């Protein structure tokens, strides 16, 4: 699970026991277009939990053309992968596992029958 | 009622896909061109979700967008992941995403697996929730109206015959469940209680390698479990038991089954076919349970009842094919004229219960005219199952019954208009035997 995915979830990363860095081809246009969609608070929280460094704190002026910025964002959004870890729902506290890179977000029968 | 619906889906959607996942591969699942086109038309930098992604055949269609795949079936998701896709296991009815995240969503061959109208609506509304205003949702569902086939009912169980499949994947991406060699396909049921217990415990399907296995057997035990909850579900189980519990599905046995409506002894096999499920107002298949239908809640459109039609069920050969309507069907080799069905017998224009046909028609052709099969339009008209030629153990342990609610023309649009007002239909049509809709999330939504 990549931080970009995490950014879309309603649950947040609570911990990770296995994280991998994968090189991914850099596509500046793609990253530039992702920037407006990023929830920065979540991203920073995830970065913190995953002990990522060099994570921009916010979009900078003219980011679309700032290769250094875009490369950093590319790295944090797409090249980090949580292989084993846990996600947590901020409301219920419910934990969800990430295993072999796959988050499993299924609720039990009891939980869905609310 | 919802619990019973969930149970049905677990039995005849989730568990089947889990069990059959090893037999999936890219080659087997067809990517519909129109879906590919929809994905390719999305703006670069879009966030896209494929809800019900299966093995992920659509996840890499467009490299300029970020596509996430979600599926309920962990083994399928693992296969997608092994191909380098970003995927997760989740439930269409409870998507783990925040509101208004995705620029586009596809739902290809998914909604038809929900067994009640309410659940189908809920699934669509969940997808609408996570769509940005102005974002588009594409939905494909199996059509009831088919060129070469006729579904008699909208709620059907479709078997899948592994015997017609290529060898299962042997590489990574296979959930290591300890499945046996290909000759022994995972079965959806073995010793009932074992199997059922195994399944209850976890999402992982309890795939037991058995040569002769009864899908119905598991249903039966499930039914017992669920009996207190919902009459119809228990009816489902018990009806199945009666169908599948006989040792051999030769004609006479089947006749006995139908006429006497009594559970027979174990069967190793049962013929492939589409069993229509319809409201069970007067079950001719009453297995001694007066409440064959869940009475009060019964609502033709919404409930799934197991009730074979007034007469005997029609056994049809309706294997899934490579050229499935829905790309996420397991690919099964389609044999022209019925080649090697179920391990070796050829197809004659014959049907299992030929003598049990309602009108008592002669075997073969007449039956076929009114028989329905669950196949894509570009498949051949059904090859019958020459059951009397089949050895008991050559038959079906390999068939897994999948539940579908096939949609009538206009039904999907009607559903959206009536119940999902946040979506506005942009276009709709038929594509290879599927009803398809592209809808847009309205800008001003609460």
């Amino acid at each position: 699970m990549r931080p970009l995915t995490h950014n879309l979830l309603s649950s947040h990363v609570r911990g990770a026991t296995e994280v991998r860095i994968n090189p991914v081809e850099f596509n500046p246009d793609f990253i530039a277009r992702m920037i407006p969609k990023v929830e920065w608070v979540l991203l920073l929280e995830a970065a913190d939990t995953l002990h990522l460094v060099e994570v921009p704190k916010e979009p900078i002026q003219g980011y679309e053309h700032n290769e250094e910025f875009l490369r950093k964002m590319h790295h944090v959004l797409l090249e980090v992968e949580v292989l084993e870890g846990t996600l947590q729902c901020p409301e219920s506290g419910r934990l969800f596992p990430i295993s072999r890179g796959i988050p499993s977000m299924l609720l039990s029968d009891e939980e869905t029958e609310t | 009622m919802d619990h019973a619906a969930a149970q049905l889906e677990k039995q005849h959607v989730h568990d089947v896909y889990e069990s059959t996942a090893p037999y999936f591969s890219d080659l087997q699942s067809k990517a519909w061109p129109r879906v590919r086109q929809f994905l390719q038309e999305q703006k670069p930098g879009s966030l896209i979700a494929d809800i019900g992604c299966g093995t992920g055949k659509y996840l890499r269609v467009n490299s300029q967008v970020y596509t996430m795949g979600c599926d309920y079936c962990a083994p399928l998701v693992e296969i997608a992941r092994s191909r380098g896709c970003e995927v997760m296991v989740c439930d269409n009815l409870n998507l783990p995403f925040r509101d208004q995240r995705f620029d586009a969503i596809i739902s290809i061959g998914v909604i038809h697996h929900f067994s009640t109208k309410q659940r189908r609506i809920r699934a669509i509304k969940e997808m609408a929730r996570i769509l940005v205003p102005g974002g588009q949702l594409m939905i494909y569902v199996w059509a009831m109206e088919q060129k070469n086939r006729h579904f008699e009912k909208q709620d059907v169980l479709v078997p899948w015959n592994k015997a017609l499949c290529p060898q299962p994947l042997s590489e990574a991406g296979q959930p290591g469940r300890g499945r046996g060699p290909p000759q022994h396909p995972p079965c959806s049921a073995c010793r009932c209680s074992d199997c059922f217990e195994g399944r209850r415990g976890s999402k992982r399907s309890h795939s037991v390698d058995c040569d002769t296995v009864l899908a119905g057997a598991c249903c039966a035990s499930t039914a017992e479990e669920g009996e207190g909850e919902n009459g119809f579900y228990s009816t489902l189980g018990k009806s199945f038991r009666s169908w599948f519990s006989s040792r051999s599905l030769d004609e006479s046995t089947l006749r006995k089954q139908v006429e006497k409506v009594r559970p027979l002894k174990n069967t190793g096999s049962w013929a492939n076919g589409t069993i229509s499920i319809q409201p069970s107002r007067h079950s001719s298949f009453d297995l001694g349970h007066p409440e064959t239908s869940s009475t009060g809640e019964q609502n033709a459109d919404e409930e799934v009842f197991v009730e074979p039609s007034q007469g005997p069920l029609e056994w049809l050969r309706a294997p899934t094919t490579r050229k499935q309507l829905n790309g996420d069907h397991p690919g099964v080799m389609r044999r022209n004229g019925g080649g090697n069905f179920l391990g070796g017998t050829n197809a004659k224009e014959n049907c299992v219960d030929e003598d049990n046909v309602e009108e008592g028609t002669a075997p073969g052709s007449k039956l076929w005219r009114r028989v329905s099969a669950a196949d894509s339009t570009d498949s051949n008209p059904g090859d019958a199952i020459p059951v009397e030629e089949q050895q008991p153990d050559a038959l079906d342990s390999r068939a897994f019954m999948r539940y579908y609610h096939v949609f009538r023309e206009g039904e999907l649009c009607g559903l959206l208009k009536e119940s999902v007002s946040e979506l506005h239909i942009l276009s709709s049509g038929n594509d290879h035997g599927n009803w398809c809709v592209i809808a847009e999330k309205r800008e001003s939504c609460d």
Side-chain angles (χ1 to χ4, degrees):
Chain A
M1 186 204 63
R2 294 177 174 81
L4 180 50
T5 299
H6 168 267
N7 210 255
L8 304 167
L9 296 176
S10 45
S11 288
H12 308 158
V13 64
R14 172 171 148 137
T17 53
E18 194 181 334
V19 177
R20 183 170 71 191
I21 307 292
N22 309 304
V24 174
E25 195 183 324
F26 176 57
N27 182 334
D29 286 338
F30 176 79
I31 297 296
R33 289 176 208 272
M34 284 296 152
I35 302 299
K37 302 179 203 258
V38 170
E39 285 280 347
W40 286 92
V41 171
L42 285 187
L43 181 67
L44 295 175
E45 191 185 288
D48 192 53
T49 308
L50 300 175
H51 309 298
L52 302 178
V53 297
E54 296 257 20
V55 179
K57 300 279 184 268
E58 62 191 354
I60 61 178
Q61 197 80 11
Y63 68 82
E64 302 92 326
H65 310 290
N66 186 321
E67 185 172 324
E68 189 193 337
F69 173 85
L70 292 176
R71 280 195 179 271
K72 284 185 184 169
M73 289 306 297
H74 165 82
H75 176 76
V76 70
L77 289 172
L78 298 180
E79 292 188 328
V80 177
E81 202 181 354
V82 177
L83 295 177
E84 301 291 327
T86 311
L87 293 164
Q88 185 169 37
C89 172
E91 285 181 19
S92 68
R94 213 288 199 182
L95 298 176
F96 298 94
I98 302 169
S99 177
R100 290 195 292 271
I102 303 171
S104 179
M105 314 301 295
L106 294 175
L107 299 173
S108 67
D109 286 347
E110 298 81 53
E111 287 168 311
T112 50
E113 282 169 12
T114 37
Chain B
M1 191 278 285
D2 202 56
H3 175 75
Q7 288 279 71
L8 171 65
E9 290 157 20
K10 179 180 194 318
Q11 192 85 38
H12 292 292
V13 179
H14 305 311
D15 289 349
V16 176
Y17 279 115
E18 277 203 50
S19 300
T20 57
Y23 302 96
F24 280 78
S25 76
D26 290 344
L27 300 175
Q28 293 175 328
S29 36
K30 174 168 181 159
W32 298 106
R34 185 71 191 86
V35 179
R36 296 176 63 93
Q37 184 192 345
F38 176 80
L39 293 168
Q40 279 156 354
E41 285 169 356
Q42 299 305 315
K43 285 201 286 247
S46 293
L47 286 169
I48 310 210
D50 179 350
I51 308 294
C53 66
T55 54
K57 63 182 167 291
Y58 294 118
L59 300 179
R60 306 186 81 102
V61 163
N62 185 342
S63 60
Q64 298 302 304
V65 300
Y66 189 74
T67 310
M68 284 230 45
C70 302
D71 202 283
Y72 197 98
C73 176
L76 292 177
V77 168
E78 303 231 6
I79 293 171
R81 174 101 187 10
S82 72
R83 300 170 48 200
C85 304
E86 188 76 351
V87 284
M88 66 178 58
V89 177
C90 64
D91 182 349
N92 199 158
L93 299 178
N94 289 286
L95 293 173
F97 300 106
R98 300 200 317 283
D99 296 356
Q100 301 184 18
R101 293 294 104 193
F102 291 94
D103 301 297
I105 296 176
I106 60 173
S107 167
I108 309 302
V110 180
I111 306 290
H112 55 207
H113 282 312
F114 287 104
S115 57
T116 70
K117 186 175 170 187
Q118 283 315 307
R119 288 166 78 82
R120 295 188 280 272
I121 291 169
R122 202 168 134 203
I124 296 172
K125 285 176 96 76
E126 263 293 273
M127 293 188 289
R129 174 181 71 77
I130 67 172
L131 204 51
V132 300
Q136 292 183 1
L137 167 61
M138 171 182 255
I139 304 176
Y140 264 53
V141 292
W142 220 351
M144 185 179 186
E145 304 85 345
Q146 297 288 337
K147 284 184 204 146
N148 299 326
R149 289 272 184 277
H150 168 62
F151 285 111
E152 294 207 346
K153 302 293 169 203
Q154 286 192 267
D155 296 289
V156 292
L157 288 178
V158 177
W160 175 73
N161 186 3
K162 178 261 162 196
L164 301 180
C165 258
Q167 293 301 306
L169 297 178
S170 52
E171 12 256 359
Q174 279 250 31
R177 302 265 163 88
R179 288 201 171 96
Q183 298 76 10
H184 303 283
C187 309
S188 60
C190 187
R191 302 164 198 68
C192 292
S193 53
D194 291 353
C195 211
F196 184 76
E197 287 310 316
R199 266 215 289 289
R200 268 158 68 94
S202 73
K203 282 281 115 201
R204 319 283 176 269
S205 80
H206 178 86
S207 62
V208 178
D209 295 309
C210 309
D211 289 330
T212 59
V213 136
L214 310 171
C218 235
C219 286
S221 60
T222 303
E224 274 142 24
E225 297 287 342
E227 187 161 0
E229 310 244 353
N230 192 303
F232 99 74
Y233 192 72
S234 69
T235 301
L236 173 73
K238 289 185 161 76
S239 290
F240 279 159
R241 192 190 326 164
S242 80
W243 278 108
F244 304 132
S245 60
S246 61
R247 180 171 286 287
S248 79
L249 269 184
D250 61 309
E251 224 173 271
S252 59
T253 301
L254 193 63
R255 194 180 314 132
K256 270 186 237 161
Q257 273 183 310
V258 169
E259 288 169 8
K260 293 177 185 168
V261 181
R262 234 194 332 243
L264 298 172
K265 296 192 209 128
N266 52 322
T267 223
S269 51
W270 42 279
N272 240 4
T274 300
I275 298 177
S276 294
I277 305 177
Q278 45 184 313
S280 147
R281 275 169 242 283
H282 33 277
S283 172
S284 68
F285 220 65
D286 182 8
L287 303 175
H289 290 269
E291 45 349 299
T292 51
S293 63
S294 65
T295 45
E297 303 141 32
Q298 190 168 333
N299 202 327
D301 261 356
E302 323 224 330
E303 299 291 330
V304 172
F305 298 96
V306 165
E307 149 66 58
S309 34
Q310 317 299 34
L313 292 183
E314 295 143 305
W315 292 105
L316 308 162
R317 185 202 194 251
T320 56
T321 86
R322 245 165 220 228
K323 295 183 276 184
Q324 271 302 318
L325 294 177
N326 302 299
D328 55 350
H329 283 204
V332 168
M333 289 306 283
R334 186 86 189 134
R335 311 295 166 112
N336 237 334
N340 209 14
F341 183 71
L342 285 179
T345 53
N346 57 34
K348 289 200 311 201
E349 292 291 299
N350 230 339
C351 195
V352 174
D353 58 338
E354 57 188 32
D355 288 318
N356 294 319
V357 167
E358 286 171 28
E359 314 105 2
T361 53
S365 48
K366 274 202 184 167
L367 178 62
W368 282 115
R369 270 201 285 281
R370 58 179 191 88
V371 136
S372 46
D375 234 317
S376 69
T377 53
D378 52 2
S379 60
N380 292 320
D383 303 315
I385 306 154
V387 169
E388 57 271 30
E389 288 185 17
Q390 287 167 330
Q391 303 311 312
D393 53 358
L395 287 181
D396 219 334
S397 51
R398 297 172 168 105
F400 297 93
M401 303 291 278
R402 269 176 305 163
Y403 168 80
Y404 289 90
H405 171 86
V406 291
F407 280 68
R408 292 181 189 277
E409 181 168 8
E411 182 181 341
L412 183 57
C413 287
L415 205 67
L416 292 175
K417 286 178 194 154
E418 176 188 296
S419 306
V420 193
S421 56
E422 56 268 44
L423 293 177
H424 159 68
I425 297 172
L426 296 180
S427 65
S428 64
N430 189 292
D431 183 13
H432 290 89
N434 297 289
W435 292 119
C436 346
V437 157
I438 297 177
E440 187 176 85
K441 182 154 175 188
R442 294 186 203 275
E443 291 285 348
S444 53
C445 289
D446 293 328

